[in-house]
């Protein structure tokens, strides 16, 4: 049997650049209150959300991704032609095939890269980051673009008091490339399919197509069950990621959890006993829950505002529908 030549990639990988795009329309809680019986105070106390962004018809999944990708590529200091892979995580691109990643790759001017979509809900950015790291180290691509993008306003039931105020739209992107030392730690990821009913689409697409139901499918969740799982189980996963990277919370500079809910974020900080010097991303207040886009959007904002800086050590963790999760430690670009 002939010997297969081993892959020749980089020894390690890192995030080289980050970019984000938030739709121009800012939606305050007052708009949400037009369709549900609640109050601004209740929404803020339960979620920490004051505003969110909703996309216009022109701000498609592809268009938002192209904007975020362009910023990330420029931030990385490379050209689009150097991108060898495009990974897009989304649950709100309504065309099943072809993958929107292929359209994005063409529009940014990449040169025939590998391009595909993944569906991993709010953990999608972590999944994409791990796949990109593998591609760079394995040698199948020198630079990989990872995009988390959502138009969750299209999947929001504005009459559902439990979820109408949660979701927003946007795109976040990073470029992953070669490094001479470890700058993306081991990923702790997994799924708990026995809890898949906790966060889900209300009905399958074919039920709507066949007229079995008249209401367009939306995302729904069991709020208390999600809260308990996120706070207690995901804090354990976050600690496992720190352990896998060989560091402690004292070594952290930044904590960037999925921007699901301010109460979840604050409870995780308390459970993890993070030191006061650790900067915590709380982008959810003005961006809402953007699922796969939330971590790169929060990362971009922290760096843009100076709350975090290049070279900082950050713990990132995403968790959501599935139930799926992914956590890792990274060096910020």
């Amino acid at each position: 049997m002939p010997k297969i030549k081993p892959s020749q990639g980089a020894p390690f990988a890192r995030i080289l650049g980050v970019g984000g795009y938030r739709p121009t329309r800012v939606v305050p809680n007052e708009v949400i209150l037009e369709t549900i019986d609640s109050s601004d105070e209740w929404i803020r106390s339960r979620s920490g959300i004051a505003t969110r962004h909703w996309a216009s018809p022109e701000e498609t999944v592809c268009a938002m991704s192209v904007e975020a990708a362009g910023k990330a590529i420029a931030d990385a200091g490379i050209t689009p032609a150097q991108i060898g892979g495009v990974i897009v995580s989304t649950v709100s691109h309504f065309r099943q095939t072809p993958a929107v990643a292929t359209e994005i790759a063409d529009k940014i001017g990449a040169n025939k890269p590998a391009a595909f979509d993944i569906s991993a809900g709010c953990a999608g950015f972590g999944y994409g980051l791990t796949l990109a790291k593998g591609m760079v180290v394995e040698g199948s691509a020198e630079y990989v673009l990872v995009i988390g993008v959502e138009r969750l306003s299209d999947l929001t039931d504005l009459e559902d008091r439990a979820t109408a105020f949660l979701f927003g739209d946007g795109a976040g992107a990073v470029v992953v490339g070669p490094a001479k030392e470890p700058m993306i730690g081991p990923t702790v990821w997994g799924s708990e399919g026995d809890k898949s009913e906790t966060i889900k689409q209300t009905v399958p697409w074919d039920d709507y197509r066949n007229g079995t139901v008249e209401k367009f499918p939306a995302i729904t969740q069991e709020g208390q069950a999600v809260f308990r799982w996120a706070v207690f189980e995901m804090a354990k996963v976050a600690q496992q990621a720190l352990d896998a990277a060989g560091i402690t919370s004292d070594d952290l500079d930044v904590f960037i959890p999925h921007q699901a809910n301010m109460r979840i974020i604050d409870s995780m900080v308390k459970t993890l006993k993070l030191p006061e010097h650790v900067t915590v991303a709380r982008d959810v207040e003005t961006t809402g829950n953007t699922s796969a886009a939330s971590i790169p959007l929060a990362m971009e904002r922290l760096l843009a505002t100076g709350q975090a800086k290049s070279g900082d050590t950050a713990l990132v963790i995403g968790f959501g529908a599935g139930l799926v999760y992914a956590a890792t430690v990274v060096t910020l670009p």
Side-chain angles (χ1 to χ4, degrees), residues 199-212:
I199 308 172
K200 64 179 183 179
Q201 184 173 306
T202 50
V203 294
W205 294 113
D206 52 358
D207 279 2
Y208 182 72
R209 178 194 63 191
N210 298 335
T212 307

Side-chain angles (χ1 to χ4, degrees), residues 225-236 260 264 268 319:
V226 172
F227 181 87
R228 289 192 297 270
W229 177 77
V231 171
F232 298 108
E233 297 305 317
M234 292 304 97
K236 296 175 186 177
I264 290 175
M268 288 185 72
F319 45 85

Side-chain angles (χ1 to χ4, degrees), residues 27-203:
V27 179
N29 289 337
E30 285 72 21
V31 172
I32 308 298
L33 297 175
E34 294 174 3
T35 51
I36 61 171
D37 181 17
S38 187
S39 68
D40 178 64
E41 181 183 3
W42 187 89
I43 293 174
R44 289 174 186 256
S45 66
R46 291 302 182 99
S47 68
I49 299 172
T51 61
R52 74 283 293 147
H53 296 257
W54 283 355
S56 67
E58 293 76 26
E59 291 169 314
T60 63
V61 165
C62 180
M64 292 190 294
S65 297
V66 169
E67 291 292 329
K71 295 175 184 178
I73 292 168
D75 192 44
I78 64 170
T79 66
Q82 292 176 272
I83 297 291
V86 178
I87 303 171
V88 177
S89 178
T90 185
V91 299
S92 50
H93 179 61
F94 290 164
R95 180 176 290 178
Q96 192 71 36
T97 191
V100 71
T102 60
E103 183 181 358
I104 294 165
D106 177 63
K107 288 186 179 299
I108 64 173
N111 184 23
K112 300 180 180 179
F116 57 95
D117 299 349
I118 60 174
S119 176
C122 304
F125 175 74
Y127 275 54
L129 184 65
T130 302
L131 294 172
K133 172 188 172 184
M135 292 168 71
V136 171
V137 172
E138 186 268 344
S140 61
E142 185 175 13
Y143 300 101
V144 180
L145 180 67
V146 180
I147 301 170
V149 57
E150 302 292 2
R151 275 181 55 116
L152 293 181
S153 58
D154 292 334
L155 288 168
T156 298
D157 180 354
L158 293 177
E159 296 178 350
D160 181 355
R161 190 172 184 271
T163 61
F165 57 89
L166 285 176
F167 302 119
D169 304 336
V174 299
V175 172
V176 177
K180 295 181 180 179
E181 57 186 83
M183 297 179 120
I184 300 176
T187 300
V188 178
W189 55 354
S191 64
E192 298 184 37
D194 60 316
K195 301 180 181 66
S196 61
E197 293 295 301
T198 309
I199 308 172
K200 64 179 183 179
Q201 184 173 306
T202 50
V203 294

